[in-house]
């Protein structure tokens, strides 16, 4: 139904090409930051079959530069010219299944977002090194997209490494006005900021490309000579990580794989592992879906506006891996920066259900410290505290059914008023707010029950419960196993097994 180009004669149109000088600033404003921009270049390297990508960050004040070199298949001169063109390939064209590119813009927009001079040198096997350069100041002056054939003065040695490689590509960013600006080389503060930026980039890449970095011989990333270690959001190797069932969802004849994880309660892993697993933005921010396209991470922890779910403290252990093929880009609304994805309407219900389930499971782990007690019979697990509702509000009451509390409440009548007054006062003043704040700001500082307490002291408490249970008519064996279903004595199995009438008598003696 569209126009037929043959029906339109020259008198019927004007050419209205975008003005180069006016386009520059909008092309620079795609919303990349330095780490997402560099990740986009590494996508290109991976698509070009690179096994190694070397990043160099060189500090030299206003002359600082960044280079990204890969050992991929490289480009011939003609391919390089086409690659440097804005919109080198239409997003509507079908891509190789393992291609990480999309809009034919990344190389240019990602680079322009950070620097004013982009030089690319590339070498395809059996070809000479080809070089092209975009210099935004020059484009601005001449108001034409003139792609320069020579590197800037003094840049050539930064591209030298390619000479010794059979094939590969170097992307060189100079005039880093967005990262460094007009500063002197001896500006210590600016240099520190630059180094900090390098660290941010490293952490980001460790996350975005972790699945590539984890596989042997798949991809190595080097930053100023040291290799980047992968950061896996799911702690799959930690024993206490719960891996829920994988759910394959079908969409337009293709499969989206959804793999929910519930990470371990902090008491189940060591402090370093716990702190490291928090990730770039901390535990709370890193919960939710992790959307991967061809194993490259696009979205790192987001509930994707499903079901009105928010990032709640008690759900922070929930992380769900979602794997998309690159043929679903437009259905998932993948943006140019590859940092956004929105599920298609027909998958929302299923994803919401999985989110609900995982959040639920994560909340259990968060609240009960991940204890999974296998009860042999229908006996209830006994906590000293009860959560109750009073006029629609939550409050915490001492569990009056607890054997030890029962024992106290069975003391002679004369003692009752003071005991009841004490219990009531404690219940009314549970420092919920303070506990919540402490636990969420420094969870690792919240001890386990009887943490660092001697066995004797734990036993003192156990003995009183044992005594109460025996009094209520239980056998020695029953009393011992009952204690093991009481918070927190399930963690003191060996100690509980030493309980006996004999021991109590010994204690009394
Ligand atoms: N490091 C590289 N090695 C080989 N070819 C590259 C490299 N970077 C870019 N290219 C080529 O340039 C093209 C344009 O890249 P880009 O602007 O990032 O768009 P896209 O990745 O969406 O295709 C790529 O499709 C690829 O053919
Ligand atoms: Mg690209």
């Amino acid at each position: 139904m569209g126009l037929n180009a043959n029906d339109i004669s020259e008198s019927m149109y004007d050419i209205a090409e975008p003005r180069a000088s006016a386009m520059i600033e909008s092309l620079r404003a795609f919303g990349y930051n330095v780490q997402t921009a560099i990740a986009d270049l590494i996508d290109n390297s991976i698509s070009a079959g690179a096994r190694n990508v070397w990043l160099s960050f060189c500090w030299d004040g206003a002359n600082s530069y960044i280079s990204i070199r890969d050992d991929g298949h490289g480009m011939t001169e003609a391919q390089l010219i086409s690659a440097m063109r804005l919109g080198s390939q239409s997003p509507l064209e079908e891509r190789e299944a393992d291609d990480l590119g999309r809009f034919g813009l990344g190389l240019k927009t990602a680079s322009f977002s950070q620097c004013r001079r982009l030089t690319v040198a590339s070498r395809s096997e059996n070809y000479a090194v080809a070089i092209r350069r975009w210099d935004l100041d020059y484009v601005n002056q001449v108001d034409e997209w003139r792609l320069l054939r020579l590197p800037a003065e003094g840049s050539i040695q930064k591209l030298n490494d390619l000479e010794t490689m059979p094939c590969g590509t170097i992307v060189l960013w100079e005039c880093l006005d967005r990262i460094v600006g007009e500063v002197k080389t001896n500006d210590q503060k600016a240099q520190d900021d630059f180094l900090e930026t390098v660290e941010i980039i490293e952490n980001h890449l460790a996350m975005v490309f972790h699945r590539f970095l984890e596989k042997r011989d798949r991809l190595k990333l080097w930053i100023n000579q040291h290799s980047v270690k992968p950061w896996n959001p799911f702690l799959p190797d930690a024993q206490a990580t719960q891996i829920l069932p994988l759910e394959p969802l079908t969409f337009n004849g293709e499969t989206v794989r959804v793999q929910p994880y519930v990470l371990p309660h902090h008491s189940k892993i060591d402090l370093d592992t716990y702190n490291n697993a928090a990730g770039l933005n901390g535990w709370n921010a890193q919960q939710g879906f992790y959307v991967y396209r061809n194993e490259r991470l696009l979205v790192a922890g987001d509930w994707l506006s499903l079901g009105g779910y928010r990032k709640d403290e008690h759900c922070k252990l929930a992380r769900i891996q979602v794997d998309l093929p690159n043929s679903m880009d437009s259905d998932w609304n993948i943006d140019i920066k590859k940092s956004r994805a929105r599920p298609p309407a027909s998958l929302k219900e299923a994803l919401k259900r999985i989110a609900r389930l995982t959040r639920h499971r994560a909340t259990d782990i968060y609240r009960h410290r991940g204890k999974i007690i296998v009860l042999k019979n229908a006996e209830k697990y006994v906590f000293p505290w009860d959560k109750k509702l009073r006029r629609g509000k939550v409050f915490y009451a001492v569990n009056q059914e607890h054997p030890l509390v029962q024992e106290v409440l069975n003391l002679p009548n004369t003692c009752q008023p003071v005991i009841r007054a004490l219990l009531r006062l404690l219940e009314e003043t549970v420092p919920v707010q303070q506990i919540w704040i402490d636990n969420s700001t420094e969870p690792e500082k919240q001890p386990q029950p009887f943490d660092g307490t001697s066995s004797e002291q734990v036993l003192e408490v156990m003995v009183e419960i044992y005594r109460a249970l025996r009094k209520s008519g239980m056998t020695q064996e029953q009393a011992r196993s009952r204690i093991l279903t009481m918070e927190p004595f399930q963690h003191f199995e060996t100690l509980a097994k030493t309980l006996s009438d004999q021991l109590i008598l010994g204690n009394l003696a």
Side-chain angles (χ1 to χ4, degrees), residues 237-429:
D237 298 331
Q239 239 199 339
T241 296
Q242 291 195 17
I243 307 176
L244 307 189
L246 171 83
E247 301 224 22
L249 306 178
T250 320
F251 179 77
N252 283 354
E254 295 208 65
T255 308
V256 179
R257 294 159 58 90
V258 186
Q259 172 63 71
Y261 293 85
V262 177
L263 275 69
H265 187 269
H266 64 83
S267 63
K268 301 280 180 182
I269 44 180
D270 64 73
L271 188 56
D272 278 349
T273 311
Y274 178 79
N275 287 338
N276 186 44
L280 286 179
N281 303 311
W283 273 102
N284 205 35
Q286 299 275 172
Q287 63 180 283
F289 289 99
Y290 284 68
V291 184
Y292 294 77
R293 167 177 179 264
N294 285 1
E295 304 201 277
R296 189 266 207 219
L297 184 64
L298 303 175
V299 175
D302 193 306
W303 290 112
L304 304 175
S305 315
L306 293 165
Y309 291 139
R310 283 174 315 181
K311 291 191 169 171
D312 293 317
E313 171 69 19
H314 57 263
C315 297
K316 70 178 181 186
L317 301 175
R319 294 180 181 178
I320 306 173
Q321 177 176 314
V322 179
D323 273 303
L324 314 180
N326 66 354
S327 52
M328 282 190 194
D329 285 355
S330 60
D331 307 308
W332 279 73
N333 266 298
I334 310 286
D335 67 336
I336 290 179
K337 291 174 297 164
K338 304 184 196 129
S339 52
R340 191 201 62 202
R342 292 268 166 268
S346 62
L347 286 180
K348 281 189 176 163
E349 268 318 306
L351 289 168
K352 213 154 81 182
R353 173 180 55 76
I354 297 169
R356 191 183 331 115
L357 210 100
T358 316
R359 285 171 60 97
H360 210 76
R361 194 62 89 76
T363 308
D364 280 351
I365 301 287
Y366 174 79
R367 296 238 163 96
H368 299 297
R369 314 192 135 156
K371 277 170 225 136
I372 303 164
I373 348 114
V374 187
L375 294 180
K376 292 200 186 68
N377 44 39
E379 273 175 330
K380 250 178 74 192
Y381 192 62
V382 183
F383 288 89
W385 288 94
D386 262 349
K387 182 175 149 182
K388 291 193 167 166
L389 277 180
R390 187 167 60 190
R391 276 172 255 117
K393 295 197 172 150
V394 172
F395 87 112
Y396 297 91
V398 170
N399 177 8
Q400 307 246 332
E401 307 295 312
H402 193 284
L404 201 55
V405 180
Q406 289 264 306
E407 189 66 9
V408 173
L409 293 176
N410 284 334
L411 289 174
N413 271 346
T414 45
C415 307
Q416 286 307 312
V418 67
I419 291 171
R420 288 186 184 278
L422 176 63
L423 290 181
R424 183 70 197 256
L425 180 66
L426 293 179
E427 288 175 339
E428 293 295 335
T429 57

Side-chain angles (χ1 to χ4, degrees), residues 15-24 26-27 86 139 143-145:
I15 297 271
E17 277 179 348
R19 272 187 53 203
S21 60
M23 282 296 286
I24 288 176
S26 20
L27 285 171
L86 285 154
V139 172
D143 204 1
E144 253 185 301
W145 290 107

Side-chain angles (χ1 to χ4, degrees), residues 185-214:
T185 305
N186 63 6
D187 183 332
Q188 193 58 47
K189 163 90 175 52
Q191 184 174 7
D192 291 346
D193 288 348
F194 187 69
L195 292 178
E196 201 179 314
T197 304
V198 177
E199 212 176 294
I200 293 172
I201 293 168
E202 172 161 3
N203 291 333
H204 184 76
L205 301 178
M207 173 174 82
V208 168
F209 297 106
H210 78 92
R211 294 179 56 187
F212 296 85
L213 298 171
E214 278 160 6

